[in-house]
Structures are given as structure tokens and as C-alpha cells.
């Protein structure tokens, strides 16, 4: 039979400054700390994973909402692009051209300016009234909505049809993109 001596630990402060920790106690304490850190790291990793999944779901939801809104707005955007913008451009071309002419006249007050426009528009611009140092001249290769401002060797082309086409292309470019199953978009 094997007999061993049992040593009891003291839990009070009966004259002893610091309790002596046994090697088993130190090993258990170290194992407990490692176990707590492992559990904490696992919980952090799980939380990060859950946040990542939630953000991914939100991104997908945002894209779904964006797709839906763009689909609902498609006919309105087309109507604006095809009907409203060209009409606004036609209605405001004369006043826009007049504003630009005023700016150019103020900038170069004493230099003569020729403004080339489509020949069939010449009577309409004559009705706007004459400007000092400014002469409207017909240019056969220009169409309605185009004008060339000539002064010395400087030419400025105003091309409303190209502007309308660029705006229409931009608005029509808002059409929804096909979603790729690879990234959820």
C-alpha cells in the first residue's frame, strides 16, 4: 500500500503574506486562460462572420432596390430623353445663343463678330434685333440648332443636336445592368 502525505492549502491570511500556488494550480490557471482566449477568439470570428453576412445581404438588398427603382423609372427617363429635352433645347436655343453672343460681345467689345447659322433660321434671328459688332450670316452646311461664332481666327461651334444626343445617351445609360450570379449584382 502506498501512503502519501496530504497537504492542505490555506485560504486565510494567518500570518502568511502570499499563498504558495501549487504547480497543478498554475497549470490549471494557464489552461483556463488559454481556454477563455480560444472561446473569445471563436466568438469574435463568429461575430465578424455574422457582420460580413449581414453586410453582404444589405448590399444585395440595395442592388435589388436600385434595380427595381431603375426599372420603374425607365419609361419616365425615356420620355424625358426623347420628348422633353429636345423641346426645351429647341425653345431655348435662341435665348441661349443670344446670351453667349452678349458674353462674347462684352469680352471683345470692339472686334467684329460673325455668327453663322442655318440659312432658313436667318429671318428668326433678324427678329431678335441687331447687336453692335455682330452680324448673322447664313452657313449652308449648318442645321437648326447649330451656330458658329467667328471672330478673328477663333471659331466656336454651338451644336445643340449633339448636346441633346449626349444627354439622351447619358439618361438612357441609366438602364439596369444584368446581374451576375458570381457576385450577387
Amino acid at each position: 500500500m502506498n501512503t502519501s502525505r496530504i497537504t492542505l492549502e490555506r485560504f486565510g491570511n494567518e500570518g502568511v503574506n502570499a499563498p504558495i500556488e501549487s504547480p497543478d494550480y498554475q497549470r490549471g490557471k494557464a489552461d483556463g486562460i488559454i481556454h477563455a482566449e480560444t472561446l473569445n477568439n471563436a466568438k469574435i470570428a463568429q461575430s465578424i462572420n455574422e457582420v460580413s453576412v449581414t453586410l453582404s445581404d444589405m448590399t444585395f438588398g440595395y442592388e435589388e432596390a436600385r434595380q427595381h427603382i431603375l426599372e420603374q423609372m425607365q419609361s419616365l427617363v425615356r420620355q424625358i430623353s426623347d420628348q422633353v429635352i429636345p423641346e426645351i433645347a429647341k425653345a431655348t436655343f435662341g435665348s441661349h445663343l443670344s446670351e453667349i453672343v452678349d458674353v462674347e460681345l462684352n469680352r471683345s467689345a470692339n472686334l467684329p463678330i460673325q455668327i453663322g447659322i442655318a440659312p432658313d433660321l436667318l429671318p428668326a434671328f433678324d427678329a431678335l434685333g441687331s447687336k453692335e459688332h455682330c452680324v448673322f450670316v447664313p452657313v449652308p452646311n449648318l442645321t437648326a440648332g447649330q451656330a458658329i461664332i467667328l471672330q478673328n481666327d477663333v471659331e466656336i461651334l454651338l451644336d445643340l443636336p449633339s448636346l441633346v444626343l449626349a444627354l439622351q445617351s447619358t439618361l438612357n445609360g441609366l438602364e439596369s445592368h444584368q446581374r451576375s450570379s458570381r457576385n450577387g449584382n
Side-chain angles (χ1 to χ4, degrees):
M1 183 159 109
N2 204 3
T3 60
S4 65
R5 190 172 173 174
I6 299 175
T7 306
L8 298 176
E9 293 182 357
R10 294 184 188 184
F11 295 102
N13 285 337
E14 300 173 11
V16 178
N17 289 342
I20 299 174
E21 297 177 350
S22 69
D24 290 337
Y25 175 81
Q26 290 176 352
R27 186 173 51 248
K29 182 178 176 182
D31 289 346
I33 290 173
I34 291 172
H35 180 70
E37 287 175 350
T38 303
L39 284 177
N40 191 35
N41 289 339
K43 286 181 182 180
I44 290 172
Q46 181 182 1
S47 296
I48 290 172
N49 186 36
E50 289 174 1
V51 167
S52 177
V53 168
T54 301
L55 289 175
S56 179
D57 289 345
M58 288 172 62
T59 301
F60 183 74
Y62 167 79
E63 188 59 33
E64 285 282 312
R66 181 182 175 278
Q67 286 292 116
H68 181 70
I69 289 172
L70 285 176
E71 287 170 7
Q72 297 300 315
M73 291 179 56
Q74 204 67 27
S75 65
L76 176 64
V77 168
R78 277 222 172 85
Q79 287 176 356
I80 290 172
S81 171
D82 296 341
Q83 296 170 4
V84 176
I85 288 178
E87 289 302 315
I88 291 172
K90 285 178 191 175
T92 60
F93 181 69
S95 62
H96 179 64
L97 180 59
S98 181
E99 286 175 25
I100 290 176
V101 168
D102 285 341
V103 169
E104 287 300 317
L105 281 174
N106 289 334
R107 189 177 306 153
S108 54
N110 294 325
L111 299 176
I113 296 175
Q114 285 188 341
I115 301 172
I117 55 174
D120 56 333
L121 296 178
L122 196 55
F125 284 99
D126 283 341
L128 288 176
S130 62
K131 305 276 185 191
E132 250 182 66
H133 306 293
C134 181
V135 178
F136 289 98
V137 295
V139 177
N141 61 343
L142 293 179
T143 62
Q146 293 180 323
I148 295 178
I149 300 174
L150 304 165
Q151 185 179 40
N152 289 342
D153 294 331
V154 177
E155 285 187 16
I156 299 172
L157 174 65
L158 300 173
D159 190 359
L160 191 60
S162 294
L163 175 63
V164 168
L165 181 63
L167 286 170
Q168 288 173 332
S169 298
T170 300
L171 286 173
N172 291 333
L174 292 175
E175 291 182 14
S176 60
H177 301 291
Q178 295 297 325
R179 183 178 311 158
S180 154
S181 62
R182 179 174 47 98
N183 61 8
N185 294 333

